[in-house]
Amino acid sequence: MRRAFVRPVLYSLALYGALSPALALDHVLENVTIKGPDGALASIPRMEIADTNLTRPEIDRLLSGDALSAETNALVAKLRAKRISIPNMTFIAGGDEKGSILIRDKLVVNIDKGRFERISINGVEGKFTIPGAGDGALASGPIVLENGDFSSLLQAALKGDVLDGVAKLGAVSWTGFQMLVPDKDVPRTAVGGNHYKISLGALKGSTTYAGEIPLKTIGTLESLTFAAPQASEAGRMLASFGYDKLDVGLTFDGLYDPAKMTYALNDYTISGIGVGALKFSGAFGGLEPKAFVGEGNERLDALSRGSMSALTLQYVDSGLFGKALSYYASTVGKNTEAVRSEWAMLVTGLLPMLMGGDPASLKIAESLGAFVREPKSLNVALKAKGAPVRFSDAPALADPSAFLGRVDLSVTANR
């Protein structure tokens, strides 16, 4: 299904990229059909384009069906339009695959050579069939992108290497996604059916910029859920851990200071209902702006010159550790509490040896043992001794004595 819909989606995106108010042309197109080389179709009953520079022949070439041609890329990079409105668009799969996707109320506001004020979709509905498995479906609520700049990506595409480009996006919002996917290895008549169920409550984020450079980024992901058919291998695995589904959330908060070349990771938290929460935070330096906006290998080179001065990990348990412990105990045929005692003794006895007898190892082992015996929370803190630790030095710190020579490591439990 993914292959069948890739080209139609690209055709749709191309519509947003080929239209300049210099001529202030208005166009209304009706009953547009875009044919893909694999037999896929995109059907658009009506499209309105206001204040654009493209002539009707240019628009017709854009809608010819070749979404990745050099001419189409050039038109996309040239786009300017006050408004592009498509009340609904239907994608129909081609070849042996069966399915369709309906996209409602697509709207583009103030697009200018890859920059745009707003792109929105009011909703999505789709259905598809997987041979031998059955029918699937998907639906989505509104999707909104604001204050975007994909001009760098478009120029990189014209040069033949899209990876050299960098995208900017001021804000994103996506709510109410649901998807049902049948499993061909599970009978449709099985108890609970044979569908994987995936849903998303909301995804929201925003970034502020100084020119091309991202400064503050915040984001949240709410209630991303996954449920497997009870009779599937994944469903049985979840049940063996004591879960009927996974329900995950995420929060992010980061701030870059280009003058000081520092990055503060204030919050990166992954949480799950009945699982717990894992939070990362840290302080990083030596990060040139090219680490965020450089072309191609420039970004990797700039990142390699970065460094870490502090990093913390905080875990609050809400049942995951106990479920994992019980699962392991069942696989080895032992009592859960017996395995708990074994793990606690293993940590307190073996860890100091693995750390080369470092004075801090005894306290770290004691804290880890306490967490194993009563898993409530665990805090791990790393702090560079003296100069920050460069990312490029990481391979040389694989040995515990070398690592502890450069980094202070502390671990506390249940505080």
Side-chain angles (χ1 to χ4, degrees), residues 179-210:
M179 188 172 186
L180 299 176
V181 181
D183 187 335
K184 65 181 181 63
D185 296 324
V186 177
R188 304 178 197 182
T189 57
V191 176
N194 74 331
H195 283 97
Y196 292 91
K197 301 176 182 179
I198 304 166
S199 66
L200 171 68
L203 171 66
K204 298 179 181 180
S206 64
T207 302
T208 58
Y209 293 85

Side-chain angles (χ1 to χ4, degrees), residues 63-325:
L63 301 178
S64 65
D66 192 351
L68 298 178
S69 71
E71 182 181 25
T72 297
N73 286 341
L75 289 173
V76 170
K78 175 183 175 180
L79 165 63
R80 289 178 188 156
K82 187 74 172 179
R83 178 185 176 93
I84 304 173
S85 175
I86 304 176
N88 63 76
M89 171 186 288
T90 302
F91 295 119
I92 302 174
D96 296 331
E97 298 174 338
K98 297 180 180 180
S100 64
I101 295 178
L102 170 65
I103 298 179
R104 300 191 306 272
D105 298 327
K106 303 176 74 169
L107 180 65
V108 182
V109 178
N110 291 332
I111 187 164
D112 182 356
K113 296 183 178 181
R115 302 173 181 85
F116 59 87
E117 179 180 323
R118 180 184 175 94
I119 295 178
S120 63
I121 294 172
N122 192 42
V124 178
E125 297 173 8
K127 56 184 179 180
F128 55 89
T129 300
I130 296 180
D135 296 332
L138 62 88
S140 176
I143 303 172
V144 181
L145 309 178
E146 296 181 297
N147 300 320
D149 185 350
F150 295 164
S151 59
S152 174
L153 290 177
L154 293 175
Q155 292 304 316
L158 290 175
K159 296 176 184 178
D161 191 353
V162 70
L163 295 179
D164 282 346
V166 177
K168 289 173 54 179
L169 191 58
V172 60
S173 174
W174 182 16
T175 57
F177 175 78
Q178 298 181 356
M179 188 172 186
L180 299 176
V181 181
D183 187 335
K184 65 181 181 63
D185 296 324
V186 177
R188 304 178 197 182
T189 57
V191 176
N194 74 331
H195 283 97
Y196 292 91
K197 301 176 182 179
I198 304 166
S199 66
L200 171 68
L203 171 66
K204 298 179 181 180
S206 64
T207 302
T208 58
Y209 293 85
E212 301 293 316
I213 303 171
L215 301 179
K216 185 172 182 62
T217 300
I218 58 174
T220 61
L221 183 150
E222 301 173 4
S223 194
L224 175 63
T225 66
F226 170 82
Q230 295 178 28
S232 69
E233 182 177 350
R236 291 191 294 269
M237 179 64 72
L238 281 173
S240 67
F241 268 79
Y243 296 105
D244 58 358
K245 67 178 180 179
L246 297 178
D247 191 330
V248 179
L250 184 147
T251 59
F252 181 88
D253 183 345
L255 178 64
Y256 177 60
D257 186 331
K260 297 179 180 178
M261 296 197 301
T262 59
Y263 189 86
L265 179 61
N266 299 317
D267 175 35
Y268 185 95
T269 300
I270 303 172
S271 59
I273 294 178
V275 176
L278 180 63
K279 176 181 178 178
F280 296 92
S281 59
F284 307 91
L287 293 170
E288 307 165 29
K290 286 184 178 180
F292 302 92
V293 297
E295 293 186 359
N297 289 331
E298 281 185 338
R299 271 173 273 174
L300 294 177
D301 291 341
L303 281 171
S304 70
R305 293 190 289 273
S307 62
M308 181 275 296
S309 56
L311 181 66
T312 62
L313 178 154
Q314 299 171 303
Y315 174 66
V316 177
D317 186 72
S318 294
L320 177 62
F321 187 86
K323 287 179 169 62
L325 187 69

